[in-house]
Structures are given as C-alpha cells and as structure tokens.
Amino acid sequence: MGEAPAFVVDNLLQNQDGFGSKSKGCNTTTTIGDKTYVIGGGNDESTLSVEVQIFDKTTGNCVTPIVLGTKPNTCKGLSAVSLNDDRILIVKKGSTPDDCIWFLEVDTRFVREQKKIQGTDVVAWSKGARGYAEKPVVISGPSGVGKGTLISMLMKEFPSMFGFSVSHTTRAPRCMEKDGVHYHFTERSIMEKEIKDGKFLEYASVHGNLYGTSIEAVEVVTDAGKRCILDIDVQGARSVKASSLEAIFIFICPPSMEELEKRLRSRGTETEEQILKRLRNAKTEMEQGHSSGIFDHILYNDNLDECYESLKKLLGLDGAAAATQRSAPQGIDLPTDHSVSKMDNKVIINCGTPELKKASKNLIVLDVSSLKGGAPGRTRGLDVYAIDSFSDGLNGINQTS
Ligand SMILES: Nc1nc2c(ncn2[C@@H]2O[C@H](COP(=O)(O)OP(=O)(O)O)[C@@H](O)[C@H]2O)c(=O)[nH]1
Ligand SMILES: Nc1ncnc2c1ncn2[C@@H]1O[C@H](COP(=O)(O)OP(=O)(O)O)[C@@H](O)[C@H]1O
C-alpha cells in the first residue's frame, strides 16, 4: 500500500459511554472545534438507528440538538469524517447503494440560519448523490392562466425528461384529482408539524389554503434522473429563489383579466366565492410577476400552442438535444465491512476484506471537491471511482477509472 492517509477517521464500533442513555450501541464521534458530534445509538445488536448528540467541551454538557431533514435509515454501523469543519460525511455500513453516503451539516449557511431561528443547537441531514442535477423549472402565474395545462403537455411529450414536484396542500381535492399524483392532500396540523420539522423547501398560504413543496417531492424526481417542474405561487417562487436550489423561474401571464376569468369559469372547478378570491389575488400576482425580479422569463399564454412552443424553446427543447434519453444517477455499492480515511478533498473507503483484496479494485474514492446544494435538499456532485491500492497506490488517487 502507498503512503498512509493524512488523517485516519475515528473508526466506529466503539461504545461511547457518557454520551447519554441512548448511546448503548455503535456510535461514531467527530470533533470539530470545541464540539464532539456523537452519531449513532444502538437499537439492537444488528441495526443502528442514527441519532445525534453534541458534547460541548467548554461546558462539559451533552445536548440533543434539533435535527432537521430526513435522517438516514437504520444501518449496521457508521464511519464519519469532517469536511471543511462545517459538515460531517457519513458512510453507512450495510446500506443500499442509493443510501450509503450522507452529510450531517453542523455549521453550513442553512444550519447557521436555522440556529438563529430556533435559538438552540441545530444540525441538518442531507443525503449524498453522485453527479449533478439539471436546474429545476419553477412555473408561477395566476390561477386559471394555464400552468397545469402547459406542464401536462411538457410531461406528455417528454415523459423521461421531466417529473412533477407533487406539492402538499390543505385544500380539498377536485373531482378528477388523485392524492399523491396532483397533490398530497393533507391536514393543516400535520403539514404545520412537518414544516416545523424542516421537511419543506417552501410553503405559503394561497387563496386561504396552505401549499408547500416538500424537499422529498423535488429530490425524488431528481434522483430518478429527471428535471423537476414546480407549479407554485409567487411567494413560493421567492422562497425557492432564496434557497440553495438553483432553478429557472418562469411566470405565465394571461392575455387579459377578462380572458383569465373566462378560463377560470369554464374550468368549472371552483365555487363563485373561490373564483372571486382567485381573481382578486391574480392582480397582486401579476404585479409581482412583473416587478419582483424573481422571474427569468415571462410568457404570455394567449394561443396555447404558441405559448407551449415558446416554453419548449426557452428550456432548450426545440432541437436535437430534446431527444436525449436520461438515466438515473447510479448509487455506490459498498461492502458491509470497510474503513474510511481522508486525504485532501478525497475520502477513501477501504473495502479491503480478504475476499475483496483478491479483486482488482479495493479502494473507493469519493472526490468531494465539487459538492453542490446541501440541506435542506441533497448534496450533489460526489465524484466516485475505484482504484487498486496495490498497483495504483494512494499516489494514484487522481486517476479516474
Ligand atoms: N407556494 C406554493 N404554491 C403552490 C404549491 N402548489 C401549488 N401552488 C400554487 O397554489 C395556487 C393554487 O393552486 P390550485 O389550488 O391547484 O389552483 P389552480 O392554480 O387554480 O389550479 C397556484 O398558484 C399554484 O401555483 C406549493 O407547493 N407551494
Ligand atoms: N391558451 C389557452 N387558451 C384557452 N384556454 C386555455 C389556455 N390555456 C389553458 N386554458 C384552459 O384554461 C383553464 C385553466 O387552465 P389550467 O391549466 O387549469 O390553469 P392553472 O393551472 O394555471 O390554474 C383550463 O380549462 C384550460 O384548458
């Protein structure tokens, strides 16, 4: 084997007594500054639930922080390595290829903002993913302008390219709407709790109901290798613009308010009271659509086919590139037994079990130099490749295979 790694990670599978009663099983600890992050906490002998506690050396106290985001599923063990002192990369043992790399953010911009809001210690989970995602497309515009119609046309023509972000809403379903397809129809109290738990990228009160985009709704589409389309109001678009999600923002305008009213009425899905409320709100939305500085493009939906062609053009779908088939990014296949170390911007996973030593590639390298995104969404941009520690040596780590 070549030169030793610069920093060998605390390897797990050691009991950390003194970090609270939950820490009976396998924990891994990572120290950043004055804080030691204890990650793990056994449920039983075969699986590990992934909890977080913070031991503060300056006070001698152990605290349980607010943990935002969806936490990793149970596993058979964890390795951890600190990156840039603001996040901890976690490699899970005994996980599926799409679920083995996670980041626990402890001092990123998102976490610092949340600490201010919550007034206490906060950490946030973000799942790691290989490669980059195409920018999601945010479509806004007044009720009845034709957003849903245009999105349906796009999804029908390019089913493997686009996926719809299924929002949550407290409004009642319309007769043709299906739960989980058009919206996740939910109760206000449940949605408010999930918002508090950090599960939403954005949310807003629109026409008297609560609407929101869960982080999962966007990430599920992106994980499938598709470009995500969000149909959200202007308030939601503003929140997405301020988030870590880089998107394209499109505002759809009606040719006139009279035509908007005609479309809303002919759709026949709202009561008179709801139609009037939507028309009142449309005026404010139109002003914000033009003057808020949120939107990259404004499209007029007068003639539907012409508007659809313009939408395709600005999404680059009018040429040969439109025919390109997408494939979902691959996961990372790790053996249950491995150890983890770090060298510069590379995290090296040694899969050197006796059987794997006979195989030609026994080191997996995670290049973390170009990470993007992060909590509350996925951390993308992981570059993963295998090398052979015997012939390539760690000096050969820059080679891709
Ligand atoms: N902020 C936000 N707005 C949403 C979301 N989902 C839908 N909306 C917006 O809520 C408004 C009302 O949607 P809906 O009740 O389906 O009525 P429609 O627009 O008339 O079809 C529209 O402006 C949608 O763009 C969401 O997740 N977040
Ligand atoms: N360019 C257009 N001309 C005429 N009717 C349209 C046009 N675009 C959409 N519509 C119709 O207007 C109604 C509202 O469209 P919809 O897509 O539901 O709007 P939104 O999703 O913005 O609320 C639907 O009945 C739809 O068929």
Side-chain angles (χ1 to χ4, degrees):
M1 189 148 149
E3 189 187 334
F7 168 55
V8 178
V9 179
D10 265 351
N11 210 346
L12 41 151
L13 300 175
Q14 45 181 330
N15 281 328
Q16 296 292 333
D17 292 329
F19 287 108
S21 57
K22 278 190 187 163
S23 309
K24 279 188 257 155
C26 310
N27 294 320
T28 180
T29 64
T30 304
T31 300
I32 299 177
D34 290 329
K35 292 185 173 171
T36 299
Y37 296 86
V38 185
I39 306 164
N43 276 350
D44 60 46
E45 282 169 17
S46 57
T47 59
L48 173 68
S49 74
V50 186
E51 311 296 338
V52 182
Q53 288 185 287
I54 306 173
F55 177 69
D56 190 332
K57 274 194 252 169
T58 54
T59 61
N61 289 335
C62 188
V63 294
T64 303
I66 291 179
V67 181
L68 297 176
T70 307
K71 71 175 184 179
N73 295 330
T74 53
C75 57
K76 296 195 185 308
L78 303 167
S79 303
V81 60
S82 162
L83 299 182
N84 302 327
D85 287 353
D86 65 1
R87 71 197 70 202
I88 299 166
L89 183 145
I90 305 288
V91 185
K92 289 171 69 189
K93 296 191 169 190
S95 276
T96 52
D98 65 338
D99 192 53
C100 53
I101 307 294
W102 284 75
F103 294 85
L104 182 72
E105 297 195 7
V106 299
D107 195 34
T108 55
R109 189 170 70 112
F110 173 71
V111 166
R112 284 197 300 273
E113 280 167 8
Q114 291 297 320
K115 279 182 189 169
K116 268 192 218 149
I117 295 167
Q118 312 268 3
T120 183
D121 264 311
V122 174
V123 293
W125 283 111
S126 170
K127 189 156 125 176
R130 294 177 83 164
Y132 298 104
E134 267 194 279
K135 281 185 183 179
V137 183
V138 172
I139 298 191
S140 296
S143 181
V145 73
K147 302 179 296 296
T149 307
L150 289 162
I151 291 169
S152 299
M153 290 167 84
L154 208 53
M155 306 260 298
K156 198 169 167 208
E157 189 176 355
F158 304 101
S160 65
M161 196 175 279
F162 292 98
F164 185 59
S165 157
V166 181
S167 294
H168 282 61
T169 182
T170 60
R171 89 149 156 73
R174 294 174 187 151
C175 64
M176 297 304 284
E177 285 179 333
K178 288 199 187 100
D179 189 27
V181 176
H182 299 94
Y183 280 105
H184 297 289
F185 295 100
T186 184
E187 281 172 31
R188 185 172 278 266
S189 57
I190 297 174
M191 193 165 160
E192 282 173 348
K193 159 93 175 58
E194 290 180 345
I195 289 170
K196 214 169 155 222
D197 290 345
K199 298 205 167 141
F200 280 80
L201 178 65
E202 62 77 32
Y203 60 92
S205 176
V206 192
H207 316 316
N209 285 299
L210 200 53
Y211 292 80
T213 310
S214 73
I215 291 151
E216 212 50 31
V218 176
E219 299 296 0
V220 152
V221 173
T222 316
D223 284 350
K226 296 185 180 184
R227 190 168 188 183
C228 188
I229 308 182
L230 291 82
D231 172 347
I232 60 176
D233 86 318
V234 177
Q235 306 168 74
R238 184 177 285 113
S239 303
V240 174
K241 189 107 181 175
S243 78
S244 59
L245 193 79
E246 275 181 54
I248 293 183
F249 295 81
I250 301 169
F251 189 81
I252 315 282
C253 278
S256 66
M257 292 310 268
E258 291 72 32
E259 172 65 16
L260 185 70
E261 181 168 354
K262 210 170 107 196
R263 286 182 197 175
L264 255 183
R265 289 188 184 284
S266 66
R267 190 172 69 184
T269 49
E270 267 72 35
T271 62
E272 181 61 22
E273 192 192 342
Q274 285 163 348
I275 289 174
L276 294 176
K277 189 184 264 183
R278 280 160 191 262
L279 289 172
R280 273 196 306 275
N281 291 343
K283 293 205 176 86
T284 325
E285 286 175 293
M286 296 284 285
E287 278 162 27
Q288 292 182 345
H290 285 97
S291 63
S292 59
I294 298 170
F295 295 96
D296 304 308
H297 307 276
I298 295 180
L299 290 180
Y300 284 86
N301 183 17
D302 189 354
N303 177 293
L304 182 60
D305 290 335
E306 281 174 19
C307 184
Y308 180 58
E309 286 308 313
S310 307
L311 176 63
K312 284 204 294 184
K313 198 166 180 191
L314 68 86
L315 293 176
L317 296 169
D318 51 343
T324 314
Q325 284 292 315
R326 315 284 153 118
S327 59
Q330 290 169 342
I332 305 166
D333 224 341
L334 293 179
T336 305
D337 271 332
H338 58 251
S339 60
V340 174
S341 53
K342 179 174 176 267
M343 195 160 70
D344 302 325
N345 276 324
K346 294 178 177 67
V347 173
I348 301 126
I349 304 172
N350 191 340
C351 310
T353 56
E355 306 80 56
L356 280 160
K357 270 185 181 155
K358 289 185 206 136
S360 59
K361 303 282 181 193
N362 68 334
L363 296 181
I364 291 174
V365 179
L366 305 182
D367 186 328
V368 291
S369 56
S370 308
L371 297 181
K372 269 200 152 196
R378 302 268 193 271
T379 300
R380 298 196 183 268
L382 273 175
D383 185 15
V384 183
Y385 51 93
I387 60 166
D388 173 10
S389 61
F390 304 104
S391 57
D392 298 345
L394 285 175
N395 292 333
I397 224 155
N398 289 325
Q399 304 169 14
T400 43
S401 59

